[in-house]
Amino acid sequence: MAVGGRIAQTAQHLESMRGKGGRIAMQVGILIFDEVELLDMAGPYEVFTTASRVHARTQPVGTAPLFNVTTLAHDSRAVRARAGLRLQPDATLHDHPPLDCAIVPGGVVDAELGRAELMAWIAAQARTTRIVASVCTGALLLAHAGVLDGLEATTHWEDVAALQALRPGLRVREGLRWVDAGAIVTSAGISAGIDMSLHLVERLHSRELALRTARQLEFDWTEAA
C-alpha cells in the first residue's frame, strides 16, 4: 500500500477510536522552515498546548492530552526563524503521525513555494486531515499547492495582491482575522493566527474550552472572523 493510503487508513482508524470513546490525543502538526515568521508558528503552538493544559484540569489523572502538538520540517536539521531563532523540529514531513490538523505558517516563503515535495505534502494533508490551516503568507503555500481553488481565503494585508495574483480565481477576503472554508481555514497576518487557533480549538472541542484558553493566555480573543 502506498504511503498516502497508509496515512489515510491510520487516520480513519484513529477517528473511529475517538468515535468509540477512545482517549487518543488529537494530532496537530505545525510546519517550520527557514525564514518562518516566529509568531505564525509559536502562536498556534501556544494556543493548542495551553488548551491541552486547561482541559487536563477537568480530567482524571493519566488521561491522554487533548492535543499533541508536533513541529514538522523538511528534514531533521534545525531551521532558523525569520528573526534568527533556531528551531529544532520534532519530526519530518516523512515520519510524523497522521494529523487531525495541519498548520502552515508564513514568513519569507519564496524558497518554500519552489519545493515540489512541500506542495505534495500540503495537498496530501488536505485529503487526509480534518483541517488544514494557514497563517499569514502560509496562504500562498496553500494556494500554490492547489488546495484553495474555489474557496475564500485571507492573508496578511501586505500580501493580498500576491495571493490574488497567484490564484486569480481565488476569492481573497480583506479585513478579516480568519476565513473558515470548512476543511481549509486561513488567517490574516502574524497575531491573527492566535485568533484563528482559538477558533480551531472551538471547532475541534468546544467554545467553552476556547474561551478558557483565551483567558489563560490573557488574550483578547476576536471571537468573530
Side-chain angles (χ1 to χ4, degrees):
M1 183 183 293
V3 172
R6 289 199 300 270
I7 291 175
Q9 187 178 69
T10 304
Q12 290 168 0
H13 172 70
L14 292 175
E15 188 62 31
S16 174
M17 288 292 292
R18 292 191 186 101
K20 296 175 182 177
R23 295 185 179 278
I24 301 174
M26 284 183 274
Q27 301 290 332
V28 178
I30 302 177
L31 179 70
I32 59 174
F33 49 86
D34 284 329
E35 297 296 321
V36 66
E37 186 74 49
L38 187 58
L39 191 57
D40 280 15
M41 62 78 50
Y45 191 98
E46 188 71 15
V47 168
F48 282 104
T49 55
T50 299
S52 283
R53 292 200 310 272
V54 170
H55 178 261
R57 295 171 183 170
T58 62
Q59 304 303 305
V61 175
T63 299
L66 181 62
F67 299 111
N68 182 49
V69 186
T70 303
T71 55
L72 313 171
H74 295 285
D75 54 48
S76 60
R77 292 174 294 182
V79 303
R80 194 175 292 277
R82 190 174 187 181
L85 182 68
R86 287 170 58 85
L87 303 169
Q88 182 65 48
D90 299 313
T92 74
L93 300 185
H94 305 286
D95 62 11
H96 62 81
L99 303 177
D100 293 280
C101 180
I103 298 179
V104 178
V108 181
V109 298
D110 302 61
E112 304 309 309
L113 286 168
R115 292 181 182 265
E117 176 188 54
L118 177 58
M119 297 303 106
W121 179 84
I122 292 172
Q125 297 312 304
R127 293 191 297 270
T128 59
T129 63
R130 295 168 67 179
I131 299 171
V132 173
S134 68
V135 183
C136 196
T137 52
L140 275 70
L141 299 176
L142 267 56
H144 197 52
V147 304
L148 293 184
D149 292 349
L151 303 178
E152 292 187 343
T154 193
T155 188
H156 192 286
W157 62 268
E158 285 187 322
D159 300 288
V160 165
L163 179 58
Q164 193 69 76
L166 190 61
R167 281 291 192 273
L170 180 64
R171 291 170 287 172
V172 181
R173 301 288 303 278
E174 298 185 59
L176 299 177
R177 297 295 277 174
W178 75 85
V179 171
D180 188 330
I184 307 293
V185 183
T186 56
S187 83
I190 313 177
S191 67
I194 301 175
D195 292 291
M196 180 192 72
S197 296
L198 288 163
H199 170 68
L200 296 180
V201 169
E202 179 178 5
R203 276 193 54 181
L204 292 168
H205 188 270
S206 66
R207 180 172 181 78
E208 185 266 344
L209 180 60
L211 290 169
R212 288 169 56 207
T213 301
R215 183 180 183 188
Q216 182 67 31
L217 292 170
E218 294 199 297
F219 183 73
D220 187 13
W221 181 29
T222 303
E223 300 172 41

